[in-house]
């Protein structure tokens, strides 16, 4: 029996971290899932998650989704959480996530995303000043 699965079903069964590992290593592939966790699955997602997947889908063929939009949404949530925690600047997020600065700013300026109301933001969410950046255009009276 072949099972086309939705990412939400795997996510509910395994949790975010194990699902991300499974999609990264096996996404887009068709696998036979035995009743006992095989070595390739344990190596990919860990013993507990592999056992859970085998319990749910044992003795079936499973098509593991690529889940590109889900992975992008999770990445965007992580970027927003990092920025809202006030521990990362836009430039640090560029390096951490290996994305262009305009992509990071577009993610942070997304109107659908929740805004941390406790932190005042001027000029858009993504324009918090990096303390390590030298301001070349300071006028007299500014600091």
């Amino acid at each position: 029996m072949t099972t086309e699965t939705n990412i939400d079903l795997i996510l509910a069964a395994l949790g975010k971290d194990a699902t991300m590992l499974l999609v990264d290593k096996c996404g887009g592939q068709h696998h036979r899932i035995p009743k006992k966790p095989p070595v390739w699955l344990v190596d990919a997602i860990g013993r507990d998650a592999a056992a859970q997947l085998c319990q749910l889908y044992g003795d079936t063929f499973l098509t593991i989704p690529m889940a590109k939009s889900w992975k992008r949404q999770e990445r965007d949530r992580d970027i927003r959480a990092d920025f809202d925690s006030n521990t990362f600047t836009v430039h640090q997020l560029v390096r951490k996530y290996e994305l262009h600065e305009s992509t990071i700013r577009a993610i942070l300026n997304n109107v659908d995303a929740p805004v941390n109301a406790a932190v005042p933001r001027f000029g858009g969410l993504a324009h918090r000043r990096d303390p390590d950046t030298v301001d070349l255009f300071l006028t007299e009276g500014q600091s």
Side-chain angles (χ1 to χ4, degrees), residues 56-75:
L56 292 172
Y57 294 104
D59 281 342
T60 63
F61 285 90
L62 182 65
T63 301
I64 300 163
M66 295 289 289
K68 288 182 181 180
S69 64
W70 173 75
K71 286 172 58 177
R72 190 176 307 112
Q73 288 171 354
E74 289 300 313
R75 179 206 64 199

Side-chain angles (χ1 to χ4, degrees), residues 1-47:
M1 178 178 161
T2 298
T3 304
E4 283 285 333
T5 186
N6 182 313
I7 192 65
D8 294 329
L9 297 174
I10 295 175
L11 186 59
L14 303 181
K16 178 185 169 187
D17 294 336
T19 300
M20 190 69 77
L21 289 171
L22 181 66
V23 168
D24 284 344
K25 297 193 178 176
C26 305
Q29 299 175 12
H30 189 71
H31 287 280
R32 178 184 172 277
I33 306 297
K35 287 188 176 185
K36 292 184 180 178
V39 173
W40 66 267
L41 189 58
V42 171
D43 289 345
I45 63 175
R47 183 168 309 283

